[in-house]
Amino acid sequence: MATRPGPLTEWPWQWMGNFKYLVLAPAAMHTAHRVATKGWGDLDPAYATMLPALLLRMIHNQIWISLSRYQTARRKNVIVDRSIEFEQVDRERSWDDQIIFNGLEFYLAYAMIPNVRLLPVWRTDGAIITVLLHMGPVEFLYYWFHRALHHHFLYSRYHSHHHASIVTEPITSVIHPFAEHVVYFMLFSIPTLTPIFMGCGSVLGVVLYIAYIDFMNNMGHCNFELVPKWIFKAFPPLKYLMYTPSFHSLHHTQFRTNYSLFMPFYDYMYNTMDKSSDELYERSLKVTDETPDLVHLTHMTTLQSTYHLRIGIASIASKPSDNPVWYSWMIWPVAWLSMVLTWVYGSSAFVIERLQMKKFKMQTWGIPRYNFQYGINWERESINSLIEKAILDADERGVKVLSLGLLNQAKSLNRSGELFIQKYPKLRVRLVDGSGLATAVVLKSIPLGTKKVFLSGSISKVAHATAIALCEKGVQVVMNQKKEYDMLKSGLPEGRTVYLKFSSKDIPQIWIGDNIDDKQQEMAPKGTVFVPTSQFPLKKIRKDCTYLSTPAMKIPETMENVHTCENWLPRRVMSAWRIAGILHALEGWDMHECGDNMIDIEKAWSAAIKHGFVPLTTS
């Protein structure tokens, strides 16, 4: 919201939330009825184009959004090196409001202006008039309207909402109060409606003009420079006819310069051109990929996790992945197609996000595979090759630590990374599976005064270490699986085996373990507390039991650029395995935490607290 919201700030359908698209339902139903009763042949070009044009605008904008976020995650030609937080994501999640608004305007124009029904597909003379009207009245009127918006009266009531985003993204371009969009519609109606009233308008003329506005809006609000220098060298006057992302970025950082819409010649004419525009443009083109101190290597989980990526839909990624949006079923074909494409063409890890903690730089890389693919035997060699390639790439770039997330550290896959340590004994980058801190978090999650716990499910490295640590503290660990019981007993010190008990009847109310299935959960007594030792959450089937989070901690305030949720975890909460990699790099620990190697549990916990990480639960 603006600092002092004025009249017509909110969109008329804001109260509808995610159901706002229902305002277009009458138009869609009218189209369906018209086709059903009169057939497709009754649709004129203008009417037939309206709904597809709205859909194409959504796709066009999403392509820009994903491209921009991918580039800024790599820090490729970044203009403003500052962070984006959840507040900006929440403010900009309504970027599609203006498309809905335009859709209603198109249908209204079709109903009220008879000439629209007679529009041909293309008229060259109408297109030329549209171009001239944009270069003249639209750019001139926008420039002065924009300057007026920066007057303290209008700025505080309207335009400050847009300028709350210092670091811009493509969607920032359309984040304005409703009243501003009404004025913009009136401005952009000049080049679209004038040719229609003159009798030389065309369907493509309108569609291409709107596509031009979207293209320039999205490009200008990218936080990376993408306009090559050779374009201006080949045609020098172009610098007066086309702005660049760095040019408009200065408007968001300096506020009182670079007011032009898309063509900067009015800034030159009225001496409001920022003097550092050329310098920033040159500097932004020279910036290259950065070398992070830490890389966290993860992968997609379910098909829906495609939307949950930072480069996907930010409003979805800003919420835990187990909190799906109602319309996800409508876009599942995109997720399915994405899975097929990554399976076929995904030949290397890709950058998902970039974080910073003071001067410490972190990146998250994703292996282009999904959970179900890790369970396919013939895929294991391919997945291991992708992980190996990412490790070698990180090593070559001088990354200090690479932490293995989710199934990238599966014992059946690469023995928590030990496979790569054996293959490359001179590896400089330290591989971390995070088991030491994960074990510490599990131990701290068990309620104080607990005398007995039940160890269920498969026995992972963390579950094994947790059970041994509990026995050494004098807490009895009960198991009902003979094979796992014998294996665990053999690893206990002689004086502590008494605390390990094999029983199918003595079932306490504190359960720990991985992959505790439905049948096992049904055995648990009422009031049981389930403490996961896995990176994946337990399926909650008991309403009379308590399910704790997977091992995780709240991150410190000094960690910046955090505006997505890590899988199913809440905002600004990070898995223990990922935090372990951060601690490993911050502390400069010179060891691989892979295979059977594990950092001292108390050492890991003390380091986490020291650096500002906070436990989710207190024992």
Side-chain angles (χ1 to χ4, degrees), residues 95-239:
W95 62 271
D96 50 350
D97 278 340
Q98 49 94 27
I99 295 181
I100 297 174
F101 183 46
N102 292 159
L104 294 175
E105 292 162 349
F106 295 157
Y107 275 96
L108 187 63
Y110 184 88
M112 296 181 66
I113 305 174
N115 285 4
V116 173
R117 300 183 183 89
L118 305 175
L119 286 179
V121 174
W122 177 251
R123 283 281 298 262
T124 303
D125 52 351
I128 293 172
I129 291 172
T130 296
V131 171
L132 294 176
L133 287 172
H134 176 85
M135 294 178 67
V138 171
E139 288 283 346
F140 176 78
L141 291 172
Y142 178 90
Y143 174 84
W144 286 108
F145 175 63
H146 195 180
R147 287 191 67 168
L149 285 173
H150 278 260
H151 183 276
H152 64 85
F153 181 85
L154 291 178
Y155 186 83
S156 62
R157 286 163 176 78
Y158 298 104
H159 205 50
S160 58
H161 179 70
H162 176 69
H163 273 276
S165 300
I166 304 298
V167 181
T168 60
E169 292 197 295
I171 52 177
T172 307
S173 62
V174 292
I175 302 304
H176 302 280
F178 176 64
E180 278 193 51
H181 273 284
V182 172
V183 178
Y184 296 146
F185 164 69
M186 294 168 63
L187 275 175
F188 297 136
S189 293
I190 296 172
T192 53
L193 294 182
T194 301
I196 293 175
F197 288 127
M198 291 175 64
C200 58
S202 65
V203 174
L204 269 181
V206 174
V207 170
L208 291 177
Y209 179 61
I210 294 170
Y212 163 76
I213 292 171
D214 284 344
F215 180 91
M216 295 300 290
N217 254 335
N218 285 319
M219 182 199 72
H221 286 81
C222 286
N223 189 33
F224 70 98
E225 189 54 75
L226 73 163
V227 182
K229 195 186 300 185
W230 64 263
I231 289 182
F232 296 110
K233 287 184 177 179
F235 186 62
L238 191 62
K239 75 174 187 174

Side-chain angles (χ1 to χ4, degrees), residues 32 47 98 141 171 213 252 265 300 337 340 399 436 493 537:
Y47 194 90
Q98 49 94 27
L141 291 172
I171 52 177
I213 292 171
H252 277 260
F265 54 77
M300 273 88 80
L337 178 63
V340 173
V399 176

Side-chain angles (χ1 to χ4, degrees), residues 308-324:
H308 202 257
L309 292 175
R310 158 70 180 145
I311 59 176
I313 304 176
S315 58
I316 295 179
S318 66
K319 299 176 181 178
S321 60
D322 58 0
N323 184 23

Side-chain angles (χ1 to χ4, degrees), residues 81-95:
D81 192 12
R82 293 174 63 175
S83 65
I84 293 175
E85 304 300 331
F86 282 109
E87 186 273 334
Q88 179 171 338
V89 174
D90 292 340
R91 187 177 61 255
E92 297 183 345
R93 68 191 305 267
S94 59
W95 62 271

Side-chain angles (χ1 to χ4, degrees), residues 517-538:
D517 59 33
D518 296 3
K519 187 177 179 181
Q520 291 171 319
Q521 289 189 40
E522 290 294 349
M523 295 168 47
K526 184 178 179 180
T528 292
V529 177
F530 291 101
V531 185
T533 57
S534 167
Q535 297 201 45
F536 294 91
L538 297 174

Side-chain angles (χ1 to χ4, degrees), residues 468-524:
I468 290 178
L470 288 170
C471 289
E472 290 179 343
K473 289 182 177 182
V475 178
Q476 189 171 67
V477 178
V478 181
M479 302 179 68
N480 65 355
Q481 300 175 65
K482 183 63 175 170
K483 182 180 178 181
E484 283 77 6
Y485 168 80
D486 291 336
M487 180 184 69
L488 189 58
K489 189 175 181 180
S490 64
L492 278 172
E494 211 172 299
R496 293 294 170 180
T497 55
V498 66
Y499 291 105
L500 189 65
K501 181 180 179 181
F502 179 76
S503 174
S504 299
K505 297 180 181 179
D506 185 12
I507 308 297
Q509 286 186 309
I510 306 297
W511 283 40
I512 62 173
D514 295 355
N515 306 319
I516 306 175
D517 59 33
D518 296 3
K519 187 177 179 181
Q520 291 171 319
Q521 289 189 40
E522 290 294 349
M523 295 168 47

Side-chain angles (χ1 to χ4, degrees), residues 210-333:
I210 294 170
Y212 163 76
I213 292 171
D214 284 344
F215 180 91
M216 295 300 290
N217 254 335
N218 285 319
M219 182 199 72
H221 286 81
C222 286
N223 189 33
F224 70 98
E225 189 54 75
L226 73 163
V227 182
K229 195 186 300 185
W230 64 263
I231 289 182
F232 296 110
K233 287 184 177 179
F235 186 62
L238 191 62
K239 75 174 187 174
Y240 302 106
L241 302 175
M242 185 182 80
Y243 73 168
T244 65
S246 56
F247 175 93
H248 191 69
S249 179
L250 279 169
H251 176 69
H252 277 260
T253 55
Q254 304 302 319
F255 299 103
R256 297 292 183 181
T257 56
N258 296 7
Y259 291 105
S260 292
L261 176 57
F262 306 139
M263 300 177 175
F265 54 77
Y266 286 112
D267 279 305
Y268 283 99
M269 184 182 299
Y270 295 110
N271 199 31
T272 53
M273 178 79 173
D274 196 291
K275 293 178 174 57
S276 63
S277 296
D278 292 339
E279 180 190 346
L280 180 62
Y281 172 72
E282 297 275 353
R283 188 167 69 245
S284 299
L285 283 176
K286 294 176 182 177
V287 177
T288 57
D289 293 4
E290 72 174 0
T291 298
D293 299 292
L294 164 75
V295 166
H296 180 65
L297 191 63
T298 184
H299 60 81
M300 273 88 80
T301 52
T302 62
L303 283 182
Q304 288 76 14
S305 66
T306 302
Y307 315 132
H308 202 257
L309 292 175
R310 158 70 180 145
I311 59 176
I313 304 176
S315 58
I316 295 179
S318 66
K319 299 176 181 178
S321 60
D322 58 0
N323 184 23
V325 294
W326 67 271
Y327 54 86
S328 60
W329 64 271
M330 297 171 60
I331 49 179
W332 72 263

